[in-house]
C-alpha cells in the first residue's frame, strides 16, 4: 500500500476518524482491524502481519494505557495494566529471545520507576490520595523495584544516554519490520505500531514537524496554520489515541503524551509535577508578551521568567515618577505590601525583597529612624512567616538574614535613645516622623528574639547530629547568645520587670547545661600553661556560677509567673549539680518543693525537671552519696522510658497510644543533641548504685521470705545474667556490672573492682566525668566497704571470732575504718556480735537461727497469713464486719489474741514464741 493511501484524502480521514470515535478501544487488549473498518474498506486494509508485530502492538497499547493512567495519577489502573503488561511480555518471550528486549519496554520500566519514586517522596501528595490509590502505589512500587532487577543493565544504559537509545530504536524500526512493511504504514492510522508510537522526539517538536512534513513530500497545502502542522504530525504517528481533529486542545494533549513518553531524556523536567499541562505556542507568546510588558512597567527593561514556576503577581510599583517621598507615603506603601501577606499566591521571598527596598528608600531620603525601625520589625516578621508550617525550620540563608536584621535593629535602638517601642503603643498613636517628640513605634523586640531562639532550637532539632552541618549550626549559638546579651542590657535600662525576667530566662537556658571548665581549673588552682592563656582567663570576667546566681535571684524576687520561676529554679539546681555543688543543689530542690506539684506543669517543664533530677543523682554519685544517687535516679530508670522522659528521643509505640499529630508535638519538645545526657552513663551510675545497696541487703536477708527488692531493674539484670547458658567474658556495660555483683556477693572485692574499673568501662563511662580520678578512687573505696559488709553477713555463722587486723588486710582498709563499719552493723542490729577492744577482735554470738529454724519461721509466717485470709473470707460470708473478733454471750465483741505484725515485718505472738531477729526462749517477750 502506497504512502498516498496511508495519508488518505479528506473524506477518508473524516470517515476513519469518525469510526475511531464511535468504537471504544478496550485498554490493554488487541483489537481486530475488521471491527474498526467498514465493509468496503476491508479489502484495501486487510494485511498479513507477523507474530512479532502483533505482540509488540499489544505491548505498545498497554504501555500507552499505563502512561495515560500516569498522567491522571490513577495508581490502581497503573497497577492493573502493569500486571497485564508483564503477562503479555511473558507471552512474547520467544520473540524477545530472538530480537532482544525492545527499547520502548525498557524506557517504560525506567520512566515508571522514576515516576513512582517521585510520587513516593511527595508526602503531601500521598496524603491526598484515596485509599485504593495509596495502596496501589505501595504495591506497584514494590513490584517495579523487584521486576527491574532483571533489567538493571539495560535500564542503566538507557539512563546514561536516553537520546542515543531512542535513535537506535528509530534506526532499528524499518529493519525489524521485515516483510510486513505495510503494517508500519498502517500504524499511522491505528496508532498501535511500536515504531510509529515512539517515533517523535518531544523536545524538537516544532522543527521536527517541518522536517517530517517536507520529507514525506505529500504536498498537502490545505493545512496552513502551525496548529494543523502539529496535528498532522501527531496523526502520522499515532491516531489511535483520539480523533484526527485540528482542535487546539487535542494538539495540546498530544504534545503532552509525547512529552511524557520522552520524559527521561530531559533532566530538568524530571522534577516537575506529573500531569502539568504544556502550553501551546500561541498561549506562550501571549503570556511572554504580557510578562514583558509588566517587566517594562516595573523596571523599564526585560524580565526573564523561569519556566514551570507559577506566575507571580505583578510587583507593586514603589513610587510613581516625581512623587515626593515622605513618611506618610512610605507608611502607605508599607501597608500595601503588608496587605498581601498571607494571601494565596503571594511570593514571600519577593515580599521580603520589597521590604528591604523600602527600607533602603527610607534611609536614602533620611526619613528618620522611626520608620526604619518599623520596616525592620516587619522584615523580621516576614522572615519568620517564610515557612508557613510550624514544624519546618528556617533555611540557612533566611536564618543568616534574620540574625543580621535583628543585629541592625538593636544597633539602631542602642544608637538612638529617643525611640520608644512596645506592644501597648497603638497604631494611630505611633510617631514615625522626625519631630521634637521622641519616636514611638509599635512592636516588641523581646518577642522577636524569643522567636529567633525557638527557630535556633528547631534548626538544631532538624539537623543530623553526627554531621559537620550540626557543628556549623552550633557555632551560631555564640551569635544568638550575643544578641540575647545585647537585648538584656537594653531591657535593663528601658524594659519592664516582666520583660527582664523573660530575657533573663533565655540567657539562663543557654548557660545552665554547660560545664565551666575555666572556673573548674581556677577552683583547682590550675593556671594556663602560657602567658596568653593566663591573660585570657583574667579578661574573661565572671564565672557562669556568678552569672546564674545573679540572674536566678532576680527572677526569684521579681517574677510573678510560676512558670519562669520554676524553670529558673530547675536550671539553677542543674548548674549546681553539674559543678558538683551537691549540698546547694539538694537544699534548693528541697526548699522549692517542686516534687510535690510538678505533675501539674506543662511537658517541657516536666522534661527539665527530669533532666535536673538525673543530674542531681549523678552529682550525688560523684560525691559518694550512693543512697541519694539511687533515690534520685530511681523514678527515671525504673520506668524503662528514660530516653523519652528526658526528651532525647521517642520510643516506638502503637498508633493507638500516639497518633501522628501527637508524634509531631512530641518531636518539637525534643532537646537538641548537644544538650543530651549520656544514657549509658546514667544507667551505669544507677546499676552500680543499686549493686552497692542491694548486694549487702541480699546477703543480710537471705532467708527472709518478706524481703523487698530495692531495685527491680537491677534484679532483672541479675536474672538475665543467670539465664545465660554460657558465661563468657563480659562485653557490655550491663554484663560488667552483673559480673561485679556476683563477685561482691562472694566477698571478692578485687574481682569486683576489676570488672567495674577497667579500660573498657573507663572509655565508656568513667572518663566522661570531669574529675575522673577522684570518682574512681571513691568507687574503689565503696566497693571495699560494701564487700566487707557482704562478707560479714555471708560468713558470720562460720566464725566464732575474727580479727579486725585480718579483715583490714583482706579488704585493704584501715583498722579504724573496719572498726567503724562493724560498730555501725552491731548498733543497727544487723550483726549479732560484740567487739573485744584489747584483742581487736569481733566475737560472734550464736544467736542466728540455723537454716532449719529459718524455714520453720517462714512456715509460721505463711500459716499466719493463711489463717488471716481464711478468717476474712469467713467473716464476709457471715456478714460480720471486722477481723479477729468473737461474739460473746452478751452479743458484744471482744478482741481475740492473735498474731501481730512487729516492726521488722514479721509476726509475733503476744505471749511469746519465735520472733524475728533471733532465736529466743519463750519466756522472753522482747528483743
Amino acid at each position: 500500500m502506497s504512502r498516498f493511501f496511508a495519508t488518505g484524502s479528506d473524506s477518508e480521514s473524516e470517515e476513519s476518524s469518525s469510526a475511531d470515535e464511535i468504537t471504544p478501544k478496550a485498554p490493554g487488549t488487541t483489537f481486530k482491524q475488521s471491527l474498526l473498518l467498514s465493509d468496503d474498506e476491508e479489502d484495501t486494509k486487510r494485511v498479513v502481519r507477523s507474530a512479532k508485530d502483533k505482540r509488540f502492538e499489544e505491548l505498545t497499547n498497554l504501555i500507552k494505557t499505563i502512561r495515560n493512567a500516569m498522567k491522571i495519577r490513577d495508581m490502581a489502573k497503573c497497577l492493573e495494566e502493569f500486571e497485564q503488561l508483564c503477562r503479555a511480555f511473558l507471552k512474547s518471550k520467544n520473540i524477545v529471545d530472538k530480537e532482544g528486549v525492545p527499547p520502548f519496554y525498557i524506557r517504560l520500566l525506567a520512566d515508571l520507576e522514576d515516576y513512582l519514586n517521585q510520587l513516593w517522596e511527595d508526602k503531601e501528595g500521598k496524603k491526598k490520595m484515596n485509599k485504593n490509590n495509596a495502596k496501589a502505589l505501595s504495591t506497584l512500587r514494590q513490584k517495579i523495584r523487584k521486576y527491574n532487577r532483571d533489567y538493571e543493565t539495560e535500564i542503566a544504559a538507557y539512563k546514561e544516554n536516553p537520546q542515543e537509545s531512542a535513535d537506535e530504536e528509530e534506526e532499528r524500526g524499518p529493519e525489524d519490520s521485515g516483510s510486513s512493511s505495510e503494517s508500519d504504514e498502517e500504524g499511522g492510522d491505528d496508532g498501535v505500531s511500536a515504531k510509529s508510537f515512539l517515533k517523535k522526539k518531544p523536545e524538537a517538536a516544532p522543527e521536527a514537524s517541518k522536517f517530517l512534513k517536507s520529507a514525506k513530500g505529500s504536498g498537502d497545502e490545505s493545512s496552513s496554520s502551525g496548529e494543523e502542522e502539529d496535528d498532522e504530525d501527531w496523526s502520522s504517528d499515532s491516531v489511535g489515541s483520539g480523533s484526527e481533529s485540528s482542535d487546539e486542545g487535542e494538539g495540546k494533549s498530544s504534545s503532552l503524551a509525547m512529552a511524557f513518553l520522552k520524559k527521561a531524556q530531559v533532566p530538568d523536567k524530571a522534577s516537575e509535577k506529573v500531569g502539568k499541562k504544556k502550553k501551546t505556542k500561541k498561549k506562550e507568546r501571549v503570556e511572554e508578551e504580557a510578562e514583558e510588558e509588566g517587566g517594562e512597567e516595573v523596571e523599564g527593561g526585560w524580565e526573564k521568567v523561569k519556566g514551570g514556576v507559577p506566575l507571580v503577581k505583578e510587583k507593586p510599583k514603589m513610587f510613581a515618577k516625581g512623587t515626593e517621598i515622605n513618611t506618610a507615603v512610605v507608611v502607605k506603601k508599607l501597608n500595601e505590601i503588608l496587605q498581601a501577606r498571607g494571601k494565596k499566591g503571594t511570593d514571600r521571598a519577593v515580599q521580603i525583597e520589597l521590604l528591604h527596598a523600602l527600607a533602603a528608600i527610607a534611609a536614602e531620603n533620611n526619613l528618620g529612624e522611626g520608620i526604619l525601625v518599623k520596616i525592620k520589625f516587619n522584615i523580621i516578621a516576614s522572615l519568620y512567616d517564610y515557612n508557613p508550617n510550624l514544624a519546618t525550620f528556617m533555611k540557612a540563608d533566611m536564618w543568616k538574614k534574620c540574625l543580621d536584621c535583628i543585629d541592625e535593629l538593636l544597633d539602631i535602638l542602642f544608637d538612638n535613645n529617643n525611640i520608644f517601642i512596645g506592644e501597648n503603643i497603638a497604631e494611630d498613636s505611633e510617631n514615625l516622623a522626625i519631630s521634637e517628640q521622641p519616636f514611638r513605634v509599635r512592636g516588641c523586640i523581646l518577642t522577636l528574639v524569643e522567636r529567633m531562639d525557638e527557630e535556633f532550637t528547631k534548626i538544631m532539632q532538624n539537623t543530623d547530629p553526627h554531621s559537620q552541618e550540626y557543628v556549623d549550626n552550633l557555632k551560631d549559638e555564640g551569635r544568638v547568645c550575643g544578641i540575647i546579651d545585647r537585648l538584656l542590657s537594653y531591657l535593663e535600662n528601658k524594659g519592664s520587670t516582666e520583660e527582664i525576667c523573660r530575657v533573663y530566662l533565655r540567657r539562663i537556658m543557654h548557660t545552665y547545661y554547660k560545664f565551666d571548665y575555666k572556673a573548674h581549673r581556677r577552683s583547682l588552682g590550675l593556671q594556663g600553661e602560657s602567658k596568653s592563656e593566663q591573660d585570657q582567663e583574667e579578661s574573661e570576667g565572671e564565672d557562669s556560677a556568678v552569672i546564674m546566681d545573679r540572674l536566678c535571684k532576680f527572677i526569684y524576687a521579681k517574677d510573678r509567673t510560676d512558670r519562669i520561676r520554676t524553670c529558673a529554679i530547675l536550671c539553677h539546681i542543674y548548674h549546681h549539680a553539674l559543678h558538683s555543688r551537691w549540698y546547694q543543689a539538694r537544699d534548693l530542690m528541697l526548699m522549692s518543693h517542686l516534687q510535690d506539684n510538678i505533675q501539674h506543669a506543662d511537658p517541657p517543664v516536666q522534661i527539665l525537671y527530669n533532666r535536673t533530677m538525673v543530674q542531681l543523682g549523678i552529682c550525688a554519685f560523684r560525691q559518694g552519696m550512693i543512697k541519694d544517687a539511687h533515690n534520685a535516679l530511681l523514678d527515671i530508670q525504673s520506668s524503662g522510658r528514660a530516653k523519652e522522659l528526658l526528651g532525647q528521643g521517642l520510643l516506638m509505640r502503637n498508633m493507638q497510644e500516639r497518633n501522628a499529630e501527637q508524634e509531631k508535638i512530641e518531636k518539637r519538645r525534643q532537646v537538641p543533641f548537644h544538650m543530651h545526657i549520656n544514657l549509658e552513663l546514667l544507667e551505669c551510675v544507677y546499676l552500680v548504685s543499686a549493686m552497692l545497696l542491694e548486694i549487702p541487703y541480699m546477703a543480710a536477708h537471705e532467708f527472709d521470705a518478706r524481703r523487698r527488692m530495692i531495685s527491680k531493674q537491677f534484679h532483672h539484670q541479675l536474672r538475665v545474667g543467670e539465664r545465660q547458658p554460657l558465661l563468657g567474658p563480659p562485653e557490655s556495660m550491663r554484663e560488667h556490672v552483673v559480673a561485679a555483683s556476683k563477685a561482691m556477693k562472694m566477698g571478692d572485692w578485687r574481682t569486683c573492682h576489676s570488672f567495674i574499673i577497667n579500660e573498657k568501662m573507663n572509655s565508656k563511662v568513667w572518663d566522661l566525668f570531669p574529675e575522673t580520678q577522684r570518682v574512681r578512687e571513691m568507687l574503689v573505696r565503696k566497693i571495699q566497704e560494701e564487700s566487707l559488709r557482704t562478707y560479714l553477713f555471708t560468713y558470720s555463722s562460720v566464725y566464732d571470732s575474727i580479727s579486725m587486723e585480718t579483715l583490714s588486710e583482706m579488704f585493704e582498709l584501715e583498722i579504724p575504718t573496719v572498726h567503724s563499719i562493724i560498730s555501725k552493723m552491731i548498733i543497727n542490729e544487723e550483726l549479732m556480735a560484740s567487739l573485744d577492744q584489747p584483742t581487736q577482735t569481733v566475737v560472734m554470738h550464736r544467736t542466728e537461727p540455723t537454716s532449719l529454724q529459718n524455714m520453720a519461721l517462714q512456715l509460721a509466717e505463711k500459716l499466719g497469713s493463711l489463717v488471716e485470709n481464711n478468717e476474712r473470707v469467713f467473716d464476709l460470708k457471715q456478714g460480720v464486719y471486722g477481723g479477729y473478733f468473737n461474739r460473746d454471750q452478751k452479743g458484744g465483741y471482744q478482741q481475740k489474741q492473735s498474731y501481730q505484725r512487729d516492726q521488722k515485718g514479721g509476726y509475733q505472738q503476744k505471749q511469746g514464741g519465735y520472733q524475728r531477729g533471733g532465736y529466743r526462749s519463750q519466756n522472753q517477750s522482747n528483743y
Side-chain angles (χ1 to χ4, degrees):
M1 188 173 70
S2 68
R3 193 175 292 278
F4 177 81
F5 288 109
T7 308
S9 63
D10 290 340
S11 60
E12 273 185 5
S13 62
E14 285 172 9
E15 189 175 346
S16 61
S17 63
S18 63
D20 284 347
E21 284 175 7
I22 293 164
T23 310
K25 185 173 68 174
T29 58
T30 57
F31 51 86
K32 294 181 181 178
Q33 298 294 329
S34 58
L35 294 175
L36 290 173
L37 304 174
S38 59
D39 292 336
D40 34 351
E41 283 182 330
E42 266 186 49
D43 299 330
T44 57
K45 294 282 183 180
R46 184 173 296 155
V47 289
V48 178
R49 290 182 296 159
S50 64
K52 174 193 160 186
D53 287 336
K54 287 180 183 176
R55 292 297 182 197
F56 279 17
E57 179 184 312
E58 184 180 3
L59 292 176
T60 48
N61 281 340
L62 286 164
I63 287 171
K64 195 157 121 190
T65 314
I66 289 172
R67 290 198 183 278
N68 287 337
M70 286 160 72
K71 290 176 208 168
I72 58 172
R73 302 179 85 162
D74 188 352
M75 291 296 102
K77 186 74 174 171
C78 271
L79 177 61
E80 180 188 341
E81 295 299 321
F82 180 71
E83 287 171 349
Q84 286 192 23
L85 182 66
C86 293
R87 287 196 288 270
F89 189 74
L90 203 61
K91 288 179 188 173
S92 314
K93 192 172 185 306
N94 294 332
I95 296 166
V96 170
D97 291 344
K98 289 179 191 174
E99 304 289 338
V101 182
F104 62 84
Y105 190 72
I106 295 298
R107 187 180 309 158
L108 175 86
L109 295 180
D111 288 354
L112 185 58
E113 187 173 15
D114 291 343
Y115 171 71
L116 292 174
N117 288 337
Q118 186 182 346
L119 279 187
W120 189 259
E121 287 165 9
D122 182 13
K123 304 291 183 189
E124 295 300 322
K126 275 205 297 185
K127 285 180 186 173
K128 291 175 185 173
M129 281 186 182
N130 61 32
K131 190 177 178 183
N132 290 339
N133 271 354
K135 190 176 177 183
L137 172 63
S138 176
T139 310
L140 183 55
R141 184 169 170 267
Q142 288 175 356
K143 283 194 174 186
I144 194 77
R145 285 169 70 184
K146 189 175 178 182
Y147 191 78
N148 282 6
R149 285 177 198 157
D150 299 333
Y151 304 102
E152 281 179 352
T153 52
E154 291 91 340
I155 291 171
Y158 166 71
K159 284 186 176 178
E160 281 174 14
N161 199 347
Q163 185 70 36
E164 198 173 290
S165 62
D167 291 342
E168 283 174 12
E169 185 189 340
E170 280 191 8
E171 286 167 14
R172 282 181 56 189
E175 296 168 11
D176 292 344
S177 61
S179 61
S180 58
S181 60
E182 292 92 339
S183 64
D184 290 341
E185 294 167 341
E186 181 192 341
D189 285 336
D190 57 18
V192 292
S193 166
K195 175 195 163 190
S196 60
F197 186 75
L198 301 163
K199 188 166 140 187
K200 220 174 88 170
K201 298 180 181 59
E203 51 270 37
E207 293 84 354
S209 65
K210 292 173 187 173
F211 287 118
L212 290 170
K213 192 172 174 65
S214 60
K216 283 178 188 175
S218 60
D220 189 5
E221 269 102 5
S222 62
S223 57
S224 58
S225 68
E227 294 166 11
E228 287 171 349
E229 284 178 14
D230 288 343
D231 287 342
E232 186 181 345
D233 200 26
W234 172 250
S235 64
S236 67
D237 283 339
S238 66
V239 182
S241 61
S243 64
E244 289 184 4
S245 67
S246 61
D247 186 45
E248 186 180 341
E250 286 295 302
K252 187 163 70 173
S253 63
S254 306
S255 63
L256 172 61
M258 288 187 296
F260 194 89
L261 191 65
K262 294 275 188 178
K263 190 176 78 167
Q265 293 180 9
V266 189
D268 17 297
K269 296 210 173 177
S271 62
E272 289 181 5
K273 284 188 180 177
V274 178
K276 187 176 180 180
K277 304 212 172 183
K278 278 181 94 181
K279 299 171 184 173
T280 57
K281 291 181 197 173
K282 196 178 285 183
K283 282 189 178 178
E284 284 178 350
R285 279 201 203 101
V286 171
E287 285 164 359
E288 280 175 3
E289 286 167 9
E291 286 160 9
E292 284 163 13
E293 287 169 9
E296 284 171 1
E297 285 175 6
V298 177
E299 296 175 3
W302 295 90
E303 183 184 358
K304 190 174 179 181
V305 180
K306 293 179 183 175
V309 179
L311 286 175
V312 180
K313 287 187 178 178
E314 187 184 326
K315 290 182 183 178
K317 287 186 285 188
M318 278 299 174
F319 301 106
K321 214 167 188 181
T323 306
E324 183 188 353
I325 295 174
N326 54 29
T327 306
V329 172
V330 172
V331 170
K332 186 180 177 185
K333 179 56 64 178
L334 176 64
N335 290 331
E336 277 180 28
I337 296 169
L338 293 179
Q339 277 171 5
R341 183 178 171 188
K343 287 186 179 176
K344 193 175 180 182
T346 304
D347 191 332
R348 296 182 179 86
V350 171
Q351 202 175 24
I352 293 166
E353 286 171 17
L354 289 173
L355 288 168
H356 275 295
L358 193 62
I361 290 169
E364 280 173 19
N365 290 276
N366 297 320
L367 297 180
E369 307 299 337
I371 188 69
L372 206 57
V373 167
K374 186 168 181 64
I375 295 171
K376 289 284 181 192
F377 269 123
N378 286 298
I379 290 172
I380 297 166
S382 299
L383 286 167
Y384 290 145
D385 287 349
Y386 189 75
N387 289 326
N389 190 356
L390 191 66
T392 54
F393 60 99
M394 289 177 84
K395 297 294 179 282
D397 54 340
M398 289 292 169
W399 171 243
K400 300 292 181 196
K401 281 183 189 175
C402 180
L403 292 179
D404 293 338
C405 280
I406 293 174
D407 266 330
E408 289 167 15
L409 182 57
L410 285 168
D411 288 338
I412 296 170
L413 293 174
F414 274 111
D415 294 341
N416 301 275
N417 289 323
N418 60 340
I419 300 176
F420 291 97
I421 57 173
E423 290 174 308
N424 52 355
I425 297 172
E427 291 277 356
D428 50 358
S429 65
E430 284 184 322
N431 181 27
L432 304 174
I434 300 173
S435 63
E436 293 179 1
Q437 298 293 326
F439 293 111
R440 290 168 61 81
V441 184
R442 177 178 172 80
C444 181
I445 181 70
L446 176 58
T447 307
L448 295 180
V449 172
E450 284 179 334
R451 176 72 189 273
M452 174 205 69
D453 196 26
E454 289 165 10
E455 289 294 338
F456 177 71
T457 305
K458 256 196 278 188
I459 289 170
M460 301 312 295
Q461 285 171 342
N462 289 280
T463 310
D464 178 14
H466 306 293
S467 64
Q468 183 60 35
E469 187 187 357
Y470 191 90
V471 178
D472 295 337
N473 289 339
L474 192 56
K475 289 175 185 174
D476 288 336
E477 191 183 16
R479 198 169 171 191
V480 170
C481 290
I483 289 172
I484 292 172
D485 282 334
R486 292 184 70 192
L487 179 64
L488 189 146
S489 58
Y490 175 78
L491 290 177
E492 280 175 348
N493 297 326
K494 292 194 172 184
S496 64
T497 308
E498 184 188 348
E499 288 177 332
I500 294 172
C501 287
R502 280 164 64 189
V503 76
Y504 274 8
L505 182 64
R506 288 286 162 186
R507 187 69 185 87
I508 287 166
M509 296 299 279
H510 280 280
T511 309
Y512 81 97
Y513 63 89
K514 295 173 184 169
F515 187 81
D516 194 344
Y517 282 96
K518 286 173 183 170
H520 178 61
R521 284 168 62 83
R522 282 197 288 273
S523 68
L524 296 175
L526 300 173
Q527 289 187 347
E529 294 175 3
S530 64
K531 183 73 176 167
S532 60
E533 286 181 7
Q534 292 177 14
D535 294 341
Q536 187 183 354
E537 285 177 7
E538 286 172 9
S539 64
E540 275 187 356
E542 53 191 359
D543 295 342
S544 61
V546 179
I547 296 170
M548 287 288 293
D549 197 55
R550 178 168 56 82
L551 300 180
C552 290
K553 282 182 178 174
F554 181 87
I555 290 175
Y556 301 157
K558 305 286 185 182
D559 179 57
R560 296 191 189 90
T561 62
D562 284 341
R563 190 182 187 280
I564 292 178
R565 188 168 61 250
T566 302
C567 289
I569 290 171
L570 290 171
C571 292
H572 204 179
I573 295 167
Y574 190 105
H575 194 264
H576 278 316
L578 190 63
H579 292 82
S580 299
R581 296 189 287 271
W582 157 251
Y583 291 105
Q584 292 97 312
R586 184 198 63 181
D587 294 345
L588 194 53
M589 176 61 85
L590 293 175
M591 284 190 296
S592 64
H593 295 284
L594 286 175
Q595 60 271 26
D596 298 336
N597 53 12
I598 194 66
Q599 66 271 17
H600 303 303
D602 53 338
V605 178
Q606 289 186 16
I607 288 171
L608 181 58
Y609 174 79
N610 292 338
R611 284 166 55 78
T612 304
M613 286 303 297
V614 162
Q615 200 59 248
L616 203 59
I618 294 172
C619 174
F621 181 81
R622 287 201 303 269
Q623 300 301 312
M625 315 281 185
I626 302 300
K627 195 163 188 179
D628 291 317
H630 182 270
N631 290 339
L633 300 177
L634 181 63
D635 288 339
I636 301 293
Q637 284 297 121
S638 61
S639 66
R641 296 187 301 127
K643 187 177 182 181
E644 195 171 353
L645 292 173
L646 295 174
Q648 295 182 189
L650 299 178
L651 299 175
M652 296 298 292
R653 289 203 202 168
N654 297 331
M655 289 304 288
Q656 290 83 10
E657 294 181 35
R658 178 174 60 211
N659 57 31
E661 193 60 37
Q662 286 174 329
E663 192 166 340
K664 281 182 187 174
I665 293 167
E666 287 185 22
K667 277 182 180 174
R668 287 203 293 272
R669 292 180 189 141
Q670 298 304 297
V671 176
F673 183 77
H674 64 280
M675 297 169 65
H676 281 195
I677 295 168
N678 190 317
L679 292 176
E680 190 172 22
L681 178 143
L682 172 62
E683 188 178 9
C684 181
V685 165
Y686 175 75
L687 289 176
V688 170
S689 303
M691 176 189 80
L692 294 173
L693 294 173
E694 191 80 66
I695 297 298
Y697 180 80
M698 286 167 65
H701 299 83
E702 192 174 356
F703 300 106
D704 191 353
R706 293 182 175 273
R707 182 182 71 203
R708 290 187 177 182
M709 289 184 286
I710 295 174
S711 168
K712 288 185 179 178
Q713 192 183 0
F714 177 71
H715 274 274
H716 173 68
Q717 295 300 334
L718 286 182
R719 283 195 295 273
V720 168
E722 286 169 4
R723 283 202 295 268
Q724 297 289 339
L726 294 170
L727 280 177
E731 292 291 332
S732 67
M733 175 271 300
R734 293 173 181 173
E735 289 175 1
H736 275 89
V737 175
V738 169
S741 303
K742 289 178 180 175
M744 184 186 273
K745 204 171 181 181
M746 305 302 293
D748 186 357
W749 77 272
R750 287 184 181 84
T751 309
C752 177
H753 167 244
S754 67
F755 280 130
I756 292 293
I757 298 172
N758 51 53
E759 286 184 12
K760 192 177 282 188
M761 290 290 282
N762 286 345
S763 61
K764 281 186 176 181
V765 181
W766 309 126
D767 287 345
L768 303 178
F769 287 121
E771 299 175 348
T772 307
Q773 193 55 39
R774 197 166 67 82
V775 172
R776 289 200 198 101
E777 288 169 3
M778 178 275 297
L779 264 175
V780 172
R781 187 152 189 93
K782 287 290 176 186
I783 288 170
Q784 289 169 334
E785 290 175 1
E786 297 304 325
S787 297
L788 170 60
R789 281 164 49 79
T790 308
Y791 185 83
L792 289 172
F793 282 134
T794 307
Y795 299 110
S796 61
S797 58
V798 177
Y799 288 98
D800 284 329
S801 62
I802 185 168
S803 169
M804 280 195 283
E805 191 175 345
T806 307
L807 292 173
S808 173
E809 289 171 4
M810 192 183 296
F811 293 97
E812 295 182 11
L813 290 167
E814 300 85 2
I815 290 179
T817 308
V818 175
H819 185 276
S820 168
I821 291 168
I822 294 172
S823 299
K824 282 179 188 173
M825 291 173 71
I826 292 171
I827 290 166
N828 294 333
E829 300 179 0
E830 293 172 337
L831 185 68
M832 298 302 146
S834 59
L835 284 170
D836 188 27
Q837 290 292 345
T839 57
Q840 291 287 300
T841 55
V842 184
V843 180
M844 303 294 175
H845 297 170
R846 290 293 180 191
T847 56
E848 290 298 322
T850 62
S851 57
L852 180 62
Q853 290 168 339
N854 267 317
M855 291 170 71
L857 283 171
Q858 289 178 27
L859 178 63
E861 287 173 2
K862 288 177 180 176
L863 287 172
S865 63
L866 182 65
V867 169
E868 182 182 341
N869 290 335
N870 282 344
E871 287 187 354
R872 277 183 187 164
V873 172
F874 182 73
D875 286 346
L876 286 171
K877 283 185 178 178
Q878 295 296 318
V880 177
Y881 177 76
Y884 318 108
F885 293 97
N886 242 354
R887 191 187 294 264
D888 61 6
Q889 292 178 355
K890 297 178 181 177
Y893 289 90
Q894 64 181 16
Q895 193 169 3
K896 182 180 171 184
Q897 288 181 348
S898 63
Y899 290 95
Q900 292 179 337
R901 191 185 292 264
D902 69 358
Q903 290 179 350
K904 295 192 178 181
Y907 288 92
Q908 63 181 11
Q909 201 173 359
K910 272 193 170 183
Q911 294 179 351
Y914 290 109
Q915 297 176 332
R916 300 293 298 143
Y919 181 73
R920 294 285 182 271
S921 62
Q922 289 188 359
N923 297 326
Q924 294 173 329
S925 58
N926 290 317
Y927 171 61

